[in-house]
Amino acid sequence: MSGWSAIEGTHSFVVGDRAGADGLARALAAHWFARVVARPVGHAGWAVDALDEGPYPVSPLGFRTFDAVGRAAALVARDFGGYSQGGGQCEPDMLHLFADGPIVHSNPGACPPIPDVVITPAPRSVPWS
């Protein structure tokens, strides 16, 4: 990953049915993400992938910010009976691979609110006595 120019990726969720998937995809696109896709995943229900175009810096702060955005989006998924299924980070030119499904909602230019992420130094070592 040291050659990456920026961090982008997907935040993935699972909901029980098509109506929930459509509602969650619509909500995430309306307020957070430029593109959200959903597709059936067998007996598990529907997978909803929010494409997070960031870009976040390639640094510990960037990775932690990306994760914090995913956790915040998971709170929205709960309103639709959904739960987080993880997601993944990728180089910007790979995001198009996740862009199709039977349900697609777009909101060009939308981006999630960026939470404050504070990185503090590790506490100093204290010998065990």
Side-chain angles (χ1 to χ4, degrees):
M1 288 190 291
S2 61
W4 285 15
S5 60
I7 300 169
E8 294 185 358
T10 63
H11 303 285
S12 300
F13 308 95
V14 173
V15 295
D17 57 21
R18 184 183 179 103
D22 186 58
L24 176 57
R26 194 177 300 272
L28 290 173
H31 301 289
W32 290 47
F33 299 100
R35 190 168 184 88
V36 183
V37 300
R39 65 191 180 292
V41 286
H43 299 296
W46 282 70
V48 178
D49 293 314
L51 283 60
D52 189 345
E53 297 174 335
Y56 303 99
V58 181
S59 67
L61 178 61
F63 288 108
R64 289 183 183 178
T65 302
F66 180 87
D67 290 342
V69 167
R71 287 190 304 274
L75 295 175
V76 176
R78 286 184 191 174
D79 293 340
F80 295 89
Y83 58 90
S84 177
Q85 192 64 24
Q89 300 159 347
C90 63
E91 180 74 13
D93 63 349
M94 293 181 61
L95 203 56
H96 70 90
L97 299 173
F98 303 96
D100 278 331
I103 297 174
V104 178
H105 290 289
S106 297
N107 185 0
C111 60
I114 305 301
D116 290 329
V117 176
V118 178
I119 297 179
T120 58
R124 62 183 174 90
S125 297
V126 177
W128 291 79
S129 8

